[in-house]
């Protein structure tokens, strides 16, 4: 909606980021989280092709997680990428950030919508977003786009418990 502040977790090539930036209008903001270099390269190209929207978008090149102190191992590419707190052959180490710390550190006045497609890290991310979701209450509408690796987290959608 016009004026909304959106978190786009797992922004990939910025396709949803750009749709959100269009929809939030000049008074809205999109916080786009993507850290995979092969994705951020395309992300920058796509955002640069839309200069009228780019002013509304901020890229955060860290992995969303339950805290901002961890380091995760990531590997694979595109839809086959994965994230783990344990070393996996061929993976690389990345720094994490949680939604609560990001919102507090950047003095963000509201969050209206959260989209997550973060390769199985949706549940840890939600644990690190509890304060933000409580703070903004009913104004924060949530949409979770879960990939096949996150299907084990189905129960959270049924129970609503983080």
């Amino acid at each position: 909606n016009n004026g909304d502040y959106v978190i786009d977790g797992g922004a990939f090539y910025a396709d949803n980021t750009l749709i959100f930036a269009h929809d939030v209008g000049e008074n809205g903001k999109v916080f786009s989280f993507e850290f995979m270099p092969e994705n951020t390269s395309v992300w920058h190209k796509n955002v640069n092709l839309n200069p009228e929207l780019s002013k509304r978008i901020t890229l955060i090149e860290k992995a969303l997680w339950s805290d901002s102190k961890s380091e995760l191992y990531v590997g694979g590419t595109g839809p086959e990428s994965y994230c783990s707190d344990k070393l996996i052959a061929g993976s690389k180490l990345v720094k994490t950030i949680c939604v609560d710390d990001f919102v507090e550190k950047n003095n963000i006045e509201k969050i209206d919508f959260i989209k997550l497609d973060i390769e199985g890290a949706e549940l840890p991310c939600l644990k690190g977003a509890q304060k933000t979701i409580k703070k903004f209450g009913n104004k924060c509408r949530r949409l979770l786009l879960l990939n096949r690796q996150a299907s084990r987290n189905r129960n959270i959608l049924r129970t609503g418990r983080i």
Side-chain angles (χ1 to χ4, degrees):
N1 294 327
N2 191 28
D4 278 359
Y5 281 32
V6 174
I7 289 177
D8 183 6
F12 195 52
Y13 292 164
D15 47 350
N16 286 317
T17 296
L18 291 165
I19 292 168
F20 294 144
H22 175 269
D23 291 347
V24 301
E26 292 181 13
N27 296 320
K29 294 185 181 183
V30 179
F31 305 102
S32 184
F33 290 82
E34 182 57 60
F35 61 89
M36 299 289 281
E38 60 275 11
N39 295 346
T40 57
S41 172
V42 177
W43 186 100
H44 283 289
K45 289 177 185 174
N46 287 337
V47 170
N48 289 337
L49 289 170
N50 296 274
E52 72 284 0
L53 301 178
S54 66
K55 293 174 266 181
R56 307 170 194 171
I57 302 169
T58 302
L59 175 63
I60 301 91
E61 295 188 56
K62 291 187 177 181
L64 284 170
W65 196 245
S66 57
D67 64 66
S68 299
K69 299 173 187 159
S70 296
E71 293 180 326
L72 298 175
Y73 297 96
V74 297
T77 59
E80 299 301 319
S81 60
Y82 56 85
C83 180
S84 175
D85 57 354
K86 296 177 179 41
L87 177 62
I88 299 172
S91 62
K92 70 174 188 161
L93 202 57
V94 298
K95 294 193 181 294
T96 63
I97 189 165
C98 74
V99 170
D100 290 339
D101 291 344
F102 175 77
V103 167
E104 184 178 331
K105 180 181 175 186
N106 292 284
N107 297 312
I108 295 171
E109 60 195 60
K110 63 178 182 169
I111 294 293
D112 299 292
F113 189 84
I114 300 172
K115 173 246 156 187
L116 300 175
D117 186 7
I118 50 178
E119 311 310 325
E122 290 83 0
L123 180 57
C125 176
L126 286 174
K127 287 181 179 179
Q130 291 183 74
K131 288 182 200 171
T132 298
I133 292 168
K134 286 177 186 173
K135 179 179 178 180
F136 299 121
N138 291 333
K139 293 180 182 179
C140 184
R141 300 174 300 280
R142 298 171 306 279
L143 169 65
L144 303 180
L145 301 176
L146 303 178
N147 69 13
R148 68 186 184 315
Q149 290 177 323
S151 63
R152 68 185 181 283
N153 295 336
R154 278 191 300 255
N155 192 44
I156 191 171
L157 297 176
R158 284 195 300 268
T159 65
R161 291 190 180 151
I162 299 176

